[in-house]
Amino acid sequence: MSQDNWNRWGPEDERGALNHIGPEQVRAAASLVRDGRVLTLAQPLGGRTPVPGHRAGVQHFMGRDGGDYAAGARQPGGFQFAEDTVVLPLHIGTHIDALCHAWYGDQLYNGFPGSGTRSTTGASRCGIDKMGPIAGRGILLDVAAMASAQLGDGHSIGLAELKRAADQAGVVPRAGDIVLIRTGLAEHQGTQPHPSFDQEPGIDLEAGLWLAEAGVSVVGADN
């Protein structure tokens, strides 16, 4: 784990590269809005949501629905309602990882102990609650659009490939950016309810370092 950012924002910092996003970056991002369209980046949750073998899938229960009233449930004053419950692992579908999600040698980001993350108490350091709201310039590096064929299992997206996608988009990653990488896997997964998660495409070390050195705050992908 690179320690280049450790202590950069003080020994108590638990937000990491999100510190690159300040009022100036938010104002600059807001000024880029042109037509006001809202684009969803969410993956649908349901029976076909891709789930790795070691995690449970999505479980959806209706606690109250129209069938209950058809069967004679009370309707005070004619009032009726529907109610449901969703149970799911928080690392499937669309999500963002907190800095407590992974560690090495019992050290989280900034040197905090990994032993502080427990099922009984949650994360004592670097939890998702420390991230706060995120607003900034988002850039799409559409690697899949440049590929002559679908990116194969285990495809390593190198620096040259990532830079080419940036050139194609006419952008240069800078401090505070939210970089989204399209590998095309999301579309491919739609035909495979149980894909192999240990061989999906992704950026290599050199490409990751390039983004880190640019001061990028968030990296997201369609896998």
Side-chain angles (χ1 to χ4, degrees), residues 29-152:
S31 71
L32 297 174
V33 177
R34 292 292 181 267
D35 55 18
R37 284 187 302 149
V38 178
L39 306 177
T40 179
L41 302 180
Q43 295 181 351
L45 290 176
R48 295 192 64 82
T49 302
V51 181
H54 68 282
R55 293 181 183 141
V58 180
Q59 302 173 62
H60 180 214
F61 309 98
M62 292 297 297
R64 178 66 63 93
D65 60 24
D68 293 293
Y69 299 108
R74 293 179 61 250
Q75 305 176 33
F79 178 71
Q80 303 175 42
F81 65 93
E83 185 175 72
D84 54 353
T85 298
V86 176
V87 180
L88 76 161
L90 294 182
H91 289 279
I92 67 171
T94 310
H95 68 279
I96 185 168
D97 289 333
L99 290 177
C100 64
H101 176 50
W103 59 92
Y104 181 79
D106 196 36
Q107 285 190 310
L108 299 172
Y109 161 75
N110 230 14
F112 295 118
S115 58
T117 302
R118 299 295 181 90
S119 60
T120 53
T121 57
S124 62
R125 291 286 191 170
C126 298
I128 197 70
D129 58 306
K130 304 302 194 305
M131 286 191 173
I134 301 172
R137 185 179 81 143
I139 63 176
L140 172 64
L141 303 185
D142 197 346
V143 178
M146 300 186 310
S148 57
Q150 177 183 297
L151 301 184

Side-chain angles (χ1 to χ4, degrees), residues 2 4 159 162 203-216:
S2 171
D4 290 349
L159 177 57
L162 209 57
I203 60 175
D204 68 9
L205 177 61
E206 191 179 16
L209 288 174
W210 178 63
L211 294 175
E213 288 163 1
V216 164

